């Protein structure tokens, strides 16, 4: 039986494809288009098997659609800005640009060796000025639309990366990349008004028929739409009315106190004239630096203000407190406390000996020793008695609205996106500061604002801040000397619109309207579920905003979404509890006592990675790709095993032997003859054979 000589055969046909530019495409009205896209990689040095799986899935779809007569766009590029390159520059005394280009060259060579069907004519790097020039123009368009603003606020500060993180980039109180506990820090930042699109981003999720339900649920929960009432409480001094947002108006008869956030306007007013209040508010602000879970565990404390509010129905007086567990970012920054049915309110009421009035009947508790948060019938609630919670909400809402004591209100958990980052290796924000400190947007004549290359990384801070020349320039509108913004964009800014730039990567306009109209939306998008509330949500927002700016003709970027599973491998440790590679384990297992850990996602930090080059050199691209397709469903995790890759290799050789042995018979069959004429390699032939 003839052995499959992958080194000779794969190289031959890959060269043939490249020579004939088989995968380079342009719009053809006579053909139906199909746009396949995998989330493009960060050029970190080498591909890992997770990349190989992701790109194999995309390649199979692209080739299948191509074989069925579609005009297939299948591009590749590089998400090349970011902190790892800057850290590498500091550690290895190499410029981030040089480090990035070197890594791109390495990874591109690996991708070509894998034989993926990419249109390399469309390749770009987000760190190339020709790309981020258009990104700066997008920012200016957003600025014109009122989608950009700057404010001082408490932000998520990663002390390891010395950089601000968006809310979506904080996972369980830790930086999404560093894994270090995030701090809260007061800083002036540039924001995008993603909240302006909160309603449409939430509502349109139901239109994404071919998205995984898990992703849609994650986005829906993150957007966090809440419908409730904003109730007006008048005060007994007839001066300080307080508006309270609540999603539980059914518990209004159980209200025993009002609690204000430390940043509420009334809190600030009393802080000016009362030292005790001022000191308490200062302590509250310090608590804002805590992680979310630590904040929730804080002892619930407050300080009473010298006035009461009037209950809108019973007309009873209710005391008002500034409390440390209320935040200004949610609702109106004020709540009514119903201790019997909210645990935080319960703890607060116990501490300050406030009334705890049960208004929802439970079968379990006669005397409450903790808050009851379950369902039940209303009690002690006047005209609501006997109603269930849903009925009570409707009845009291209608009553208060008719009496003009409340109005319907919708709020969202989603917050505006902080896009300022305190680092060099990113797209410069096109903002300039006049001598009086006023921020003004750059004009198109000022663009592109290009990063300087003569950078000093000796100080542990953003080197743009100390650059002797770059940060000083002249404003094209007036000719006066101004200061450039020294912060750069969050890298998710680049990846939120790259799919559109692939339609016309060399266009002088931001997005060529004719090309984008033909190619967009992306028909099949492939990537990890970890980006559900990061990249995927941001891309949806960008698409809506670009549509409103007249730059795109679509409102959703991706028709079909596949979130592929992880590639996993056993972990190994030596006698000193250090992570070791699978190869090290095989070498040391007879000499030392080694620990075999659980199978986890392949990670460089845990050293359980498999170098794709080793697999390509030993087994070839066809084997690697077949194993990625055959061992597990695409959406499930794939366990990497030596037996699995060996099995795929043996199967290919058997099939190759069968085909070559019976070639004369096979070529007589019309379909097979057509396949061979197209000069496809074994991997392609297998796909064809399986789907026919």
């Amino acid at each position: 039986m003839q052995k499959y000589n992958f080194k000779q055969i794969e190289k031959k046909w890959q060269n043939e494809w490249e020579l004939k530019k088989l995968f380079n495409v342009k719009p053809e009205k006579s053909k139906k288009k199909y746009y396949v896209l995998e989330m493009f990689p960060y050029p970190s040095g080498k591909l890992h098997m997770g990349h190989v799986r992701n790109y194999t899935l995309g390649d199979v779809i692209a080739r299948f659609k191509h074989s069925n007569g579609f005009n297939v766009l299948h591009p590749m590029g590089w998400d090349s800005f970011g902190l790892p390159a800057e850290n590498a520059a500091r550690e290895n005394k190499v410029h981030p640009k040089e480090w990035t280009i070197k890594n791109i060259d390495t990874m591109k060579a690996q991708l070509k060796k894998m034989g993926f069907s990419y249109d390399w004519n469309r390749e770009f790097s987000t760190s190339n000025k020709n790309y981020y020039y258009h990104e700066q123009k997008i920012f200016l368009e957003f600025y014109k639309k009122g989608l950009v603003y700057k404010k001082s606020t408490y932000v998520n500060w990663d002390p390891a990366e010395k950089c601000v993180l968006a809310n979506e980039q904080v996972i369980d109180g830790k930086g999404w990349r560093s894994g270090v506990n995030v701090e809260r820090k007061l800083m002036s930042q540039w924001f995008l008004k993603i909240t302006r699109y909160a309603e449409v981003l939430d509502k349109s999720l139901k239109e994404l028929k071919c998205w995984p339900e898990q992703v849609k649920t994650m986005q829906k929960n993150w957007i966090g739409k809440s419908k409730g009432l904003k109730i007006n409480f008048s005060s007994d001094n007839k001066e300080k009315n307080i508006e309270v947002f609540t999603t539980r108006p059914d518990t209004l008869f159980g209200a025993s106190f009002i609690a204000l956030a430390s940043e509420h306007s009334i809190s600030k007013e009393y802080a000016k004239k009362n030292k005790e209040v001022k000191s308490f508010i200062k302590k509250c602000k310090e608590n804002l630096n805590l992680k979310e879970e630590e904040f929730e565990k804080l002892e619930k404390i407050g300080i009473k203000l010298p006035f009461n509010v009037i209950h809108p129905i019973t007309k009873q007086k209710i005391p008002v407190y500034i409390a440390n567990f209320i935040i200004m970012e949610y609702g109106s920054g004020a709540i009514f406390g119903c201790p019997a049915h909210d645990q935080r309110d319960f703890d607060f009421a116990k501490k300050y000996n406030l009334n705890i009035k049960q208004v929802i009947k439970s079968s379990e508790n006669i005397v409450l020793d903790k808050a009851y948060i379950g369902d039940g019938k209303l009690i002690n609630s006047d005209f609501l008695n006997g109603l269930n919670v849903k009925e009570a909400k409707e009845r009291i809402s209608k009553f208060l609205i008719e009496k003009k004591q409340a109005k319907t209100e919708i709020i969202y958990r989603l917050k505006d996106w902080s896009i300022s980052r305190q680092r060099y290796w990113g797209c410069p924000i096109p903002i300039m500061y006049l001598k009086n400190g006023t921020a003004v947007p750059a004009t198109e004549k000022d663009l592109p604002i290009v990063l300087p290359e003569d950078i000093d990384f000796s100080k542990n801070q953003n080197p743009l801040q100390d650059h002797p020349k770059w940060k000083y320039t002249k404003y094209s509108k007036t000719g006066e000397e101004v200061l450039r913004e020294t912060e750069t964009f969050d890298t998710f800014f680049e990846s939120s619109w790259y799919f559109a730039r692939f339609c016309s990567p060399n266009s002088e306009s931001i997005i060529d309207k004719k090309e984008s109209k033909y190619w967009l939306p992306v028909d099949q998008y492939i990537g990890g579920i970890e980006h559900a509330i990061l990249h995927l949500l941001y891309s949806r927002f960008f698409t809506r905003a670009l549509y409103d700016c007249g730059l795109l003709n679509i409102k959703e970027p991706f028709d079909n979404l596949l979130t592929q599973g992880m590639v996993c491998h056993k972990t190994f440790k030596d006698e000193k509890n250090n992570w070791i590679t699978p190869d090290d384990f095989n070498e040391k297992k007879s000499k030392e006592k080694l620990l075999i850990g659980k199978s986890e996602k392949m990670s460089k930090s845990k050293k359980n990675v498999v170098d794709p080059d080793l697999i390509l050199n030993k087994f070839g691209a066809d084997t690697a790709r077949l194993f990625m397709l055959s061992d597990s469903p695409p959406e499930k995790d794939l366990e990497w095993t030596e037996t699995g890759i060996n099995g795929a290799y043996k199967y290919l050789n058997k099939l190759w032997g069968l085909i070559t042995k019976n070639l004369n018979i096979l070529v007589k069959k019309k379909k097979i003859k057509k396949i061979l004429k197209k000069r496809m390699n074994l991997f392609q032939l297998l796909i064809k054979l399986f789907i026919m």
Side-chain angles (χ1 to χ4, degrees), residues 394-554:
E394 293 172 355
R395 180 76 63 86
I396 197 165
S397 296
K398 184 179 179 183
F399 176 86
L400 292 170
I401 292 169
E402 287 177 350
K403 296 287 185 181
K404 299 189 183 307
Q405 293 173 309
K407 58 183 178 181
T408 305
E409 187 88 355
I410 294 174
I411 66 169
Y412 301 90
R413 178 176 182 254
L414 181 70
K415 305 302 177 197
D416 283 338
W417 175 11
S418 169
I419 57 170
S420 298
R421 297 294 180 266
Q422 297 68 42
R423 58 181 175 230
Y424 162 73
W425 194 237
C427 173
I429 298 176
I431 290 289
M432 299 174 178
Y433 296 92
L434 306 179
K435 287 181 180 179
N436 63 7
T438 303
V440 293
T443 69
E444 195 158 334
K445 288 182 180 179
D446 299 313
L447 304 183
I449 299 173
V450 180
L451 287 171
E453 297 201 8
D454 54 332
I455 287 297
D456 179 11
F457 286 106
S458 61
K459 297 180 182 178
N460 195 22
Q461 64 181 41
N462 180 3
L464 292 176
Q465 292 178 334
D466 298 319
H467 198 282
K469 296 179 182 179
W470 180 86
K471 65 180 183 178
Y472 301 101
T473 189
K474 287 188 177 180
Y475 189 36
S476 63
K477 268 190 177 181
T478 62
E480 65 181 295
E481 190 172 84
V482 292
L483 286 174
R484 285 185 171 126
E485 174 64 76
T486 57
E487 295 184 338
T488 53
F489 285 137
D490 177 11
T491 54
F492 280 98
F493 201 108
E494 281 91 57
S495 61
S496 294
W497 72 285
Y498 80 107
F499 64 91
R501 187 63 185 173
F502 271 136
C503 297
S504 52
N506 301 311
S507 174
E508 293 184 3
S509 56
I510 300 171
I511 303 162
D512 185 277
K513 289 187 177 181
K514 186 178 178 182
E515 297 272 341
S516 64
K517 187 177 181 180
Y518 177 81
W519 290 116
L520 293 176
V522 176
D523 295 282
Q524 180 66 66
Y525 198 41
I526 305 169
I529 198 169
E530 67 271 19
H531 292 297
I533 57 170
L534 287 162
H535 165 64
L536 289 169
L537 182 61
Y538 293 152
S539 295
R540 294 184 64 222
F541 157 62
F542 252 69
T543 302
R544 295 275 173 175
L546 290 169
Y547 175 88
D548 288 345
C549 292
L551 297 172
L552 278 181
N553 67 322
I554 57 167

Side-chain angles (χ1 to χ4, degrees), residues 168 171 202 205 211-224 413-414 528-534 536-537 540 563:
E168 294 84 355
I171 312 293
D202 177 79
L205 281 168
W211 277 44
E213 286 301 320
Q214 186 182 359
V215 173
K216 292 193 286 185
T217 300
M218 290 169 72
Q219 287 203 6
K220 192 169 192 66
N221 292 340
W222 190 259
I223 295 167
R413 178 176 182 254
L414 181 70
I529 198 169
E530 67 271 19
H531 292 297
I533 57 170
L534 287 162
L536 289 169
L537 182 61
R540 294 184 64 222
T563 52

Side-chain angles (χ1 to χ4, degrees), residues 166-323:
N167 291 336
E168 294 84 355
Q169 294 165 330
V170 180
I171 312 293
D172 297 328
K174 302 179 185 295
W176 71 290
R177 193 162 39 212
S178 70
V180 172
N181 289 338
V182 168
E183 302 170 357
R184 298 284 287 171
K185 191 173 182 179
L186 186 64
M187 293 181 68
S188 183
Q189 296 281 286
W190 287 100
F191 288 83
L192 290 182
K193 286 186 181 179
I194 190 173
T195 53
R196 184 183 289 183
Y197 292 85
E199 176 63 23
V200 71
L201 288 172
D202 177 79
K203 189 177 181 180
S204 58
L205 281 168
K206 62 184 180 184
E207 299 170 9
L208 303 176
K209 305 294 186 184
C210 298
W211 277 44
E213 286 301 320
Q214 186 182 359
V215 173
K216 292 193 286 185
T217 300
M218 290 169 72
Q219 287 203 6
K220 192 169 192 66
N221 292 340
W222 190 259
I223 295 167
K225 181 179 180 179
S226 296
K227 187 176 181 180
L229 280 188
K230 187 173 276 187
I231 304 172
N232 184 57
F233 287 80
S234 59
S235 65
D236 59 0
N237 64 8
K238 298 182 181 180
E239 290 180 3
K240 309 216 175 348
N241 290 355
I242 298 175
E243 285 190 323
V244 170
F245 174 81
T246 180
T247 60
R248 295 297 307 274
D250 53 297
T251 63
L252 183 59
F253 283 96
S256 63
F257 68 91
I258 296 290
L260 306 177
S262 61
E263 294 182 300
H264 195 282
S265 58
I266 293 176
S267 304
K268 291 178 179 179
E269 183 182 335
Y270 276 97
K272 291 177 182 177
K273 50 190 177 185
N274 186 302
K275 289 183 179 180
E276 191 179 354
V277 172
K278 184 178 180 180
S279 177
F280 180 78
I281 287 176
K282 185 180 178 182
K283 190 175 181 180
C284 288
K285 286 183 177 179
E286 290 172 359
N287 291 335
L288 293 174
N289 296 329
L290 298 173
K291 295 186 294 181
E292 188 174 342
E293 60 266 31
E294 292 175 338
F295 183 81
E296 289 295 325
K297 292 176 183 176
L298 281 173
E299 182 187 10
K300 310 303 184 285
I301 59 174
I303 186 168
K304 192 175 183 304
L305 295 180
F307 73 98
N308 301 302
V309 297
I310 309 301
H311 193 287
I313 300 176
T314 68
K315 305 305 178 183
Q316 292 177 322
K317 290 186 177 181
I318 301 174
V320 180
Y321 291 79
I322 302 172

Side-chain angles (χ1 to χ4, degrees), residues 441-687:
T443 69
E444 195 158 334
K445 288 182 180 179
D446 299 313
L447 304 183
I449 299 173
V450 180
L451 287 171
E453 297 201 8
D454 54 332
I455 287 297
D456 179 11
F457 286 106
S458 61
K459 297 180 182 178
N460 195 22
Q461 64 181 41
N462 180 3
L464 292 176
Q465 292 178 334
D466 298 319
H467 198 282
K469 296 179 182 179
W470 180 86
K471 65 180 183 178
Y472 301 101
T473 189
K474 287 188 177 180
Y475 189 36
S476 63
K477 268 190 177 181
T478 62
E480 65 181 295
E481 190 172 84
V482 292
L483 286 174
R484 285 185 171 126
E485 174 64 76
T486 57
E487 295 184 338
T488 53
F489 285 137
D490 177 11
T491 54
F492 280 98
F493 201 108
E494 281 91 57
S495 61
S496 294
W497 72 285
Y498 80 107
F499 64 91
R501 187 63 185 173
F502 271 136
C503 297
S504 52
N506 301 311
S507 174
E508 293 184 3
S509 56
I510 300 171
I511 303 162
D512 185 277
K513 289 187 177 181
K514 186 178 178 182
E515 297 272 341
S516 64
K517 187 177 181 180
Y518 177 81
W519 290 116
L520 293 176
V522 176
D523 295 282
Q524 180 66 66
Y525 198 41
I526 305 169
I529 198 169
E530 67 271 19
H531 292 297
I533 57 170
L534 287 162
H535 165 64
L536 289 169
L537 182 61
Y538 293 152
S539 295
R540 294 184 64 222
F541 157 62
F542 252 69
T543 302
R544 295 275 173 175
L546 290 169
Y547 175 88
D548 288 345
C549 292
L551 297 172
L552 278 181
N553 67 322
I554 57 167
K555 296 180 180 181
E556 290 289 343
F558 316 121
D559 270 358
N560 295 273
L561 175 66
L562 170 63
T563 52
Q564 90 284 350
M566 305 294 183
V567 181
C568 303
H569 196 292
K570 286 181 180 178
T571 53
F572 307 97
K573 286 186 176 181
D574 60 19
E575 293 176 328
K576 297 179 180 178
N577 208 38
N578 297 314
W579 298 108
I580 61 174
T581 66
D583 288 339
D584 288 338
F585 174 80
N586 291 329
E587 288 180 14
K588 297 179 179 180
K589 63 182 178 181
S590 61
K591 304 174 186 177
E592 302 180 26
K593 186 179 179 181
L594 303 175
L595 176 67
I596 303 176
K598 64 180 181 179
S599 181
E600 297 186 47
K601 173 191 172 184
M602 285 190 181
S603 162
K604 288 182 180 179
S605 62
K606 295 181 180 180
K607 296 187 177 182
N608 64 334
V609 295
V610 175
D611 188 346
D613 278 342
L614 296 176
I615 301 302
L616 291 173
N617 293 333
K618 187 176 180 180
F619 299 104
D622 286 338
T623 297
R625 292 161 65 178
L626 180 63
F627 178 63
M628 290 297 174
L629 292 172
S630 63
D631 206 60
S632 182
E635 69 278 5
K636 303 293 184 182
D637 290 348
L638 182 148
E639 184 69 27
W640 181 272
T641 64
E642 290 297 321
T643 54
I645 192 71
N646 275 299
Y649 182 66
K650 289 177 181 177
Y651 175 78
L652 284 182
N653 272 281
K654 284 183 179 179
L655 187 61
W656 179 257
L658 179 67
I659 292 171
T660 52
K661 185 179 178 181
N662 298 281
L663 190 60
N664 290 331
I665 300 170
L666 288 170
V667 294
K668 292 179 182 178
K669 294 190 177 182
K670 192 175 180 182
K671 288 183 178 179
I672 301 297
K673 191 174 181 179
K674 285 182 178 179
I675 294 169
L676 295 176
K677 279 185 177 180
K678 289 182 180 179
R679 300 178 177 181
M680 296 183 178
N681 70 349
L682 179 59
F683 186 77
Q684 292 176 281
L685 180 59
L686 284 170
I687 294 170

